[in-house]
Amino acid sequence: MKFVREANGATVRAAPHRQEERSPYQFEAVVLLDAEGQTSRRRLGVVNLSNSGIMLKGETDIEIGTPVLIELNPDGKPFHVVGEVRHCTQTLGGYKIGVRLKFA
């Protein structure tokens, strides 16, 4: 259990930052995105995966709310997942792009 000290000096239990455990990975994904009526294809690095999301890293940003189709091929057996960009943060060497996965 983690505790934090608030500005008023009170100590309170911190809300968990992550809702799910994330597993680190290092492989490339192909991302198809549809923005402003244009479909584009990008190769992005996979940073980590959870049951409901994936963190990608790329050289350019992707607008929040953009629907994406991601092709993953970690072991030579490609498969596709669908999601939506939930955040995009500039970082050293590019952008971290958080995608919430959607399951039917």
Side-chain angles (χ1 to χ4, degrees):
M1 187 177 303
K2 184 176 178 182
F3 292 89
V4 295
R5 186 166 304 276
E6 294 188 328
N8 66 5
T11 302
V12 296
R13 187 173 70 174
H17 180 67
R18 302 281 181 218
Q19 295 177 356
E20 298 175 345
E21 182 178 333
R22 294 165 191 258
S23 300
Y25 284 92
Q26 286 189 330
F27 62 92
E28 193 173 79
V30 175
V31 178
L32 296 173
L33 54 111
D34 186 12
E36 300 174 9
Q38 300 278 9
T39 300
S40 64
R41 180 181 177 104
R42 298 189 193 175
R43 293 191 177 276
L44 303 174
V46 174
V47 176
N48 63 46
L49 293 167
S50 72
N51 288 334
S52 64
I54 183 169
M55 176 69 71
L56 303 167
K57 187 167 182 183
E59 295 178 2
T60 58
D61 66 329
I62 299 176
E63 187 174 333
I64 294 169
T66 301
V68 293
L69 172 68
I70 304 170
E71 179 181 292
L72 302 170
N73 190 0
D75 59 1
K77 298 175 185 171
F79 63 96
H80 295 88
V81 294
V82 175
E84 179 180 303
V85 175
R86 301 296 290 184
H87 65 86
C88 183
T89 307
Q90 190 169 15
T91 186
L92 186 63
Y95 292 84
K96 285 187 177 178
I97 301 149
V99 176
R100 176 168 295 269
L101 301 177
K102 296 182 178 182
F103 300 98

